[in-house]
Amino acid sequence: MIGKDSGVMKAWEATMRKTHAVAKKRANSIFGTISLAQVTEEEDNQDDYEEEDENENEVFEVYLEEKVLPNGDYYTGEWANNFPHGLGKYLWTDGCMYVGDWYKGKTKGKGRFSWPSGATYEGEFKGGYMCGTGTYTGCSGETYKGHWELNLKQGHGFKSYANGDWFDGEWKRGLQDGEGRYEWKDESHYMGEWRNGSICGKGSFVWANGNKFEGFWEDGVPKGNGIFRWADGSSYEGNFSKDGKEPNGTYHPSESEEGEDHSNWDPQELYSELSGYLVCPGDKVQVMPSQKRLAVWRSTKTGESAKNRRMSVDGRVSIGLDRTADRLQTLDGGESDGSAKTPTMGSDLEEDLTALRVEDPAENLAQLQPLKAPKKSKRQGETICKGHKNYELMLNLQLGLRHSIARPAPTASLDLKPAAFDPKEKVWTRFPPEGSKYTPPHPSCDFKWKDYCPVVFRTLRKLFMVDPADYMLSLCGNDALRELSSPGKSGSFFYLTNDDKYMIKTMKKAEVKVLLRLLPSYYNHFRDYKNTLLTKYYGLHCVKLNGPIQKKVRFIIMGNLFCSEFITHRRYDLKGSSLGRTSDKPETEISETTILKDLDLNFIFQLEKSNFEEFCRQVDLDCEILEQEGVMDYSLLVGIYFKDISPDGEIIPIQSQTPAGDLENEGTPDTTSEAKDEPPSDPSSVKLGVNMPARVERTVRRSGCELQLIGEPIGEFYNVSLTFGIIDILQDYDISKKLEHAYKSIQYDPTSISAVDPIQYSRRFRDFILRVFTENS
């Protein structure tokens, strides 16, 4: 009896310790400085250590187990609490294999992961990711030995390439970034600064023959001041530029009598000599260890049929499902001889096991319906005419805008002074109904008008090449604005100009503060990168009604992404999260203006090589600035125009015999009656994100995997033009978003939630977008 009571007490004490630890962690996450289940690099590591501390007294019954799972996966090794725990080997049906340490179903500690191609990684794991010190050996023979974070090279590392080149230096997010040395197989080498995988900054290049260049670099080539030295001691010092503009330099002959005369040397020869020295791109890993899944299922205490779930190696369960009342169990299926057997545990279990069968998407092709062009929709918005509840507000907006745009101002230089960005830099103007010295009489009520940072936005409009007269005509012409039928999720109202060029959005005070805070970096970003995908803002204003109400309406004027002569057949708002990311509309109800979301996406977008490289570079740059400014919850808005549509509205795929490389000449002529001229096919006239010629491949999600973010490609291609841009860039990771993250993390998988910290959001967004956009091969 004593032994029985002591066992119960020990179990009770262990349960209480675990409950208190979890409660303390949740309390800290909601009311402290760290939100629950955030997965930034620093906090992810800290969570692992905290988990070990919380469970250090927990007793596991570890035993050896050998399992053949119903989906064909195989595990052998130590097992505890229904998960791999200890040393074990897991073999997936696609040939991937992990051998090493496990902790409660997660790969954690030292281990070896191998791919079917022959590539291997041997080193440290944490939470399912390659994290710590490790060595990757590619299938082509290239190797990397160094530090890793979240599957990416991060920190110091040495990489040798299959062609004989090698790099020794600093890495960031999988690319060379910082100080490093790259040596080619002929022993020529570069030593200096890198950025995003390219030579950028100050550094020196030494050829095998002894010649040397020291100076500044940009995008892999010299740009700016530098010195080219010959092996005999002579040198050329000056300003270098690949386009050859403004050559400016001085030649210094060698002091040695045996030195050659290089006085006629052309600096452009430097670029010819460097043209043969390219940085090797290296192998691409198709699937990461953290993306591999363990076969598990979920059962309920009430006997309801359980939904199938697959758990990733990092211990997270499939995204977006409620996890508060259920527990995970493993699929028990193996006999001692290794043959798989179907468990007989009732009809519910049999349904679950059937749902876990790995299916080939091709099996469902016969059931696929051909794509149809969406039904035509009426023109968006309700015209604001006399009698509309917001008619006076529209008059106030147009009066204020007409006054702001027409106000005389000196010609502004693009180099603005810091004072122009001061949040206090604003201009108030009163508009009495009877008029004043500066304002005309009007039929509306008495109100005040405010311009925020007017010099900055006037200069931005100049940078965007907006003609003031056209701008005023669009916003303040005789045509009324149109109010969209329902406000956005944030509670903001949207208004469209009659020509669809501009959109006016009402703003909260917090959003105004965010915009004013990031305005300097936003302005400089547009100056530095003309192809940026960020939303264009043209003006920030406020209307304040005089009288007892004293109501303030703040609003921003921005460009309408889909203002085009071409029809937008599909619109997608993509974030890379899954919780609630579906429109829940059947195909028959989707119109040209329906905004679809991540889980509605059934295409992979393919761009030409040059366009894809520029797209990847720009997404990285745009995400970097948003991450630095602490912004999250933004999305990529994508519009698709299908070029080939039959008279009955069926979208015509590209024939299988069409060559894959020529996007501009693929497909059959558009047979739609409403189609206008084709988007430009001249590559030099294509602007990133504006009517870009491309093609899309249709995808299908596996049965039972409705929450699969990206479906399986089925080889069905369509000729399209794409329009896209990054929108909603004014959401701070404030206390409301932190509380939202903490609350939803208790109920759902934290990785499926939109509200995560800016670093994690940027990483997830970029990774997702660069998976749905690919290079046309």
Side-chain angles (χ1 to χ4, degrees):
M1 187 67 182
I2 297 176
K4 183 177 178 180
D5 289 342
S6 63
V8 172
M9 287 301 295
K10 287 181 180 179
W12 181 81
E13 289 173 358
T15 302
M16 290 301 295
R17 280 198 302 271
K18 187 173 182 180
T19 303
H20 290 159
V22 173
K24 181 179 179 182
K25 187 175 180 182
R26 286 181 179 173
N28 289 337
S29 69
I30 297 176
F31 302 107
T33 58
I34 303 176
S35 56
L36 181 65
Q38 290 185 12
V39 286
T40 59
E41 299 171 36
E42 180 180 348
E43 292 163 350
D44 192 29
N45 298 343
Q46 183 178 344
D47 287 345
D48 287 333
Y49 296 131
E50 287 178 357
E51 185 178 356
E52 290 178 3
D53 293 340
E54 291 170 8
N55 300 295
E56 62 182 359
N57 296 322
E58 190 173 354
V59 178
F60 293 103
E61 182 185 351
V62 180
Y63 55 94
L64 295 178
E65 184 66 271
E66 184 174 5
K67 290 180 178 288
V68 179
L69 304 176
N71 69 336
D73 292 354
Y74 170 79
Y75 175 81
T76 178
E78 295 178 304
W79 194 269
N81 283 10
N82 292 326
F83 291 109
H85 184 80
L87 187 63
K89 176 171 75 173
Y90 195 105
L91 178 64
W92 285 268
T93 54
D94 62 1
C96 291
M97 182 174 67
Y98 172 79
V99 181
D101 295 329
W102 296 80
Y103 182 80
K104 295 181 68 175
K106 303 177 184 179
T107 57
K108 184 176 181 182
K110 292 187 177 181
R112 176 186 174 90
F113 190 95
S114 58
W115 286 263
S117 62
T120 62
Y121 169 83
E122 189 166 359
E124 296 177 328
F125 288 80
K126 187 174 292 183
Y129 292 90
M130 299 184 290
C131 196
T133 303
T135 301
Y136 172 83
T137 304
C139 56
S140 62
E142 72 169 36
T143 61
Y144 170 84
K145 185 175 183 180
H147 198 265
W148 299 75
E149 288 286 346
L150 299 175
N151 293 333
L152 298 176
K153 305 173 187 71
Q154 182 90 3
H156 187 270
F158 177 88
K159 181 170 183 176
S160 62
Y161 297 86
N163 64 354
D165 298 352
W166 58 266
F167 174 82
D168 187 5
E170 297 299 316
W171 298 76
K172 185 177 180 181
R173 294 176 184 167
L175 298 172
Q176 298 96 329
D177 200 301
E179 292 287 337
R181 175 187 174 113
Y182 190 102
E183 184 167 312
W184 284 263
K185 58 184 177 181
D186 67 351
E187 298 186 355
S188 298
H189 66 271
Y190 168 83
M191 183 179 291
E193 297 176 347
W194 296 72
R195 184 178 180 186
N196 290 332
S198 294
I199 297 174
C200 189
K202 190 175 183 180
S204 61
F205 190 102
V206 180
W207 282 263
N209 61 6
N211 293 347
K212 181 179 183 180
F213 173 80
E214 296 177 279
F216 290 91
W217 301 69
E218 186 176 304
D219 291 334
V221 295
K223 186 172 183 181
N225 294 328
I227 303 176
F228 184 87
R229 303 181 190 276
W230 284 269
D232 61 8
S234 54
S235 64
Y236 177 91
E237 182 177 0
N239 189 60
F240 291 82
S241 177
K242 190 175 182 179
D243 56 16
K245 294 180 180 179
E246 300 180 3
N248 182 18
T250 305
Y251 171 71
H252 302 282
S254 172
E255 297 179 358
S256 172
E257 297 179 356
E258 299 178 357
E260 298 182 22
D261 182 15
H262 301 284
S263 57
N264 294 325
W265 182 73
D266 184 359
Q268 291 302 304
E269 294 180 23
L270 171 62
Y271 297 94
S272 300
E273 295 181 25
L274 288 171
S275 61
Y277 294 93
L278 301 177
V279 177
C280 186
D283 290 344
K284 289 186 178 180
V285 180
Q286 297 301 319
V287 60
M288 293 295 182
S290 58
Q291 295 173 315
K292 299 304 295 178
R293 311 231 172 231
L294 308 184
V296 297
W297 85 79
R298 196 172 78 154
S299 64
T300 63
K301 296 179 181 179
T302 58
E304 299 174 357
S305 72
K307 297 180 180 179
N308 105 70
R309 306 186 87 182
R310 290 177 66 79
M311 184 173 128
S312 64
V313 178
D314 62 5
R316 300 188 182 102
V317 186
S318 58
I319 50 183
L321 299 176
D322 192 347
R323 61 182 187 187
T324 55
D326 303 310
R327 62 187 180 89
L328 294 171
Q329 295 181 349
T330 56
L331 289 173
D332 223 351
E335 292 185 333
S336 58
D337 59 357
S339 60
K341 122 178 153 175
T342 304
T344 56
M345 296 176 64
S347 59
D348 288 346
L349 180 58
E350 291 176 4
E351 292 176 6
D352 290 339
L353 298 183
T354 302
L356 274 176
R357 180 174 62 88
V358 178
E359 297 183 0
D360 185 352
E363 297 177 6
N364 299 323
L365 290 184
Q367 304 174 8
L368 283 180
Q369 298 295 323
L371 286 179
K372 293 277 189 179
K375 60 182 181 181
K376 292 184 180 181
S377 59
K378 296 179 181 179
R379 196 179 188 197
Q380 274 188 293
E382 175 190 359
T383 301
I384 302 177
C385 53
K386 198 165 185 178
H388 192 282
K389 63 178 180 179
N390 289 325
Y391 179 70
E392 279 200 350
L393 176 61
M394 183 193 73
L395 291 182
N396 296 345
L397 295 182
Q398 293 183 326
L399 283 167
L401 287 170
R402 192 177 291 116
H403 174 77
S404 298
I405 300 168
R407 183 191 297 126
T411 304
S413 166
L414 294 180
D415 297 320
L416 298 180
K417 296 179 179 179
F421 297 95
D422 190 339
K424 297 178 182 179
E425 184 68 18
K426 49 197 172 189
V427 178
W428 279 103
T429 305
R430 184 167 174 263
F431 281 78
E434 66 275 9
S436 67
K437 183 178 178 180
Y438 302 103
T439 62
H442 58 85
S444 184
C445 61
D446 188 6
F447 71 94
K448 284 185 178 180
W449 173 264
K450 183 198 290 188
D451 282 323
Y452 293 89
C453 300
V455 176
V456 177
F457 285 103
R458 189 182 300 118
T459 312
L460 277 172
R461 294 195 293 270
K462 178 181 177 181
L463 198 63
F464 300 152
M465 293 185 290
V466 174
D467 181 78
D470 292 340
Y471 184 64
M472 182 185 292
L473 189 62
S474 294
L475 292 165
C476 312
N478 295 328
D479 297 315
L481 301 176
R482 305 197 314 276
E483 182 181 67
L484 296 190
S485 57
S486 61
K489 186 177 178 181
S490 63
S492 299
F493 285 85
F494 292 86
Y495 304 91
L496 284 171
T497 57
N498 188 62
D499 58 7
D500 289 330
K501 284 185 178 180
Y502 303 101
M503 183 177 287
I504 299 173
K505 174 189 174 185
T506 60
M507 301 179 71
K508 298 177 182 177
K509 188 175 181 180
E511 291 178 310
V512 173
K513 289 183 177 180
V514 173
L515 178 55
L516 293 176
R517 189 194 72 215
L518 64 83
L519 194 55
S521 56
Y522 175 87
Y523 176 79
N524 291 326
H525 191 72
F526 269 93
R527 282 198 64 183
D528 295 339
Y529 307 107
K530 63 179 181 180
N531 285 333
T532 178
L533 301 175
L534 300 183
T535 305
K536 289 183 178 179
Y537 293 129
Y538 298 92
L540 180 61
H541 312 279
C542 176
V543 169
K544 180 181 179 182
L545 302 180
N546 290 330
I549 300 179
Q550 294 284 309
K551 180 182 178 182
K552 281 186 179 181
V553 180
R554 304 170 184 87
F555 62 93
I556 186 79
I557 301 173
M558 52 191 179
N560 180 14
L561 190 65
F562 296 134
C563 177
S564 170
E565 57 181 320
F566 306 108
I567 298 169
T568 303
H569 296 117
R570 285 279 198 281
R571 305 182 183 202
Y572 290 97
D573 182 273
L574 304 176
K575 291 185 176 182
S577 58
S578 61
L579 184 62
R581 299 296 296 162
T582 178
S583 64
D584 291 326
K585 280 194 174 184
E587 185 74 21
T588 54
E589 294 184 15
I590 295 176
S591 69
E592 295 168 352
T593 57
T594 301
I595 302 295
L596 303 172
K597 299 181 182 179
D598 301 67
L599 295 179
D600 304 312
L601 181 64
N602 57 344
F603 297 107
I604 289 177
F605 308 105
Q606 296 186 349
L607 304 178
E608 287 282 12
K609 181 178 180 180
S610 58
N611 291 336
F612 178 70
E613 290 175 350
E614 177 60 25
F615 173 77
C616 293
R617 174 177 176 270
Q618 197 58 58
V619 168
D620 281 339
L621 291 169
D622 292 344
C623 287
E624 184 178 354
I625 186 177
L626 295 176
E627 179 183 322
Q628 290 173 355
E629 294 296 332
V631 173
M632 43 77 68
D633 217 19
Y634 44 88
S635 56
L636 185 75
L637 190 60
V638 182
I640 307 177
Y641 161 71
F642 291 98
K643 296 182 180 180
D644 305 323
I645 303 178
S646 66
D648 61 353
E650 187 173 315
I651 302 173
I652 305 172
I654 301 172
Q655 299 302 319
S656 58
Q657 66 268 22
T658 304
D662 186 4
L663 289 182
E664 292 78 16
N665 299 320
E666 286 174 345
T668 58
D670 195 333
T671 55
T672 52
S673 58
E674 75 272 13
K676 302 185 181 181
D677 295 335
E678 290 290 325
S681 58
D682 178 14
S684 62
S685 65
V686 174
K687 188 178 186 305
L688 187 66
V690 181
N691 294 327
M692 293 186 67
R695 70 177 189 176
V696 295
E697 182 176 8
R698 194 175 180 184
T699 61
V700 176
R701 287 175 175 81
R702 294 181 184 274
S703 299
C705 293
E706 293 82 3
L707 296 173
Q708 181 182 2
L709 267 179
I710 302 176
E712 306 291 340
I714 62 173
E716 189 174 299
F717 299 90
Y718 298 87
N719 265 328
V720 300
S721 287
L722 297 179
T723 299
F724 47 81
I726 298 176
I727 63 170
D728 296 336
I729 61 172
L730 299 180
Q731 178 59 59
D732 231 345
Y733 192 53
D734 54 18
I735 185 62
S736 64
K737 287 295 178 181
K738 291 176 181 177
L739 288 173
E740 178 187 347
H741 175 87
Y743 174 73
K744 289 184 177 179
S745 294
I746 299 171
Q747 306 176 65
Y748 307 103
D749 178 8
T751 61
S752 70
I753 304 169
S754 292
V756 294
D757 73 279
I759 297 175
Q760 172 66 11
Y761 192 95
S762 170
R763 182 184 296 114
R764 183 181 65 187
F765 175 82
R766 182 174 56 249
D767 291 347
F768 172 70
I769 294 302
L770 297 185
R771 286 171 62 201
V772 296
F773 280 80
T774 62
E775 180 183 334
N776 172 40
S777 56

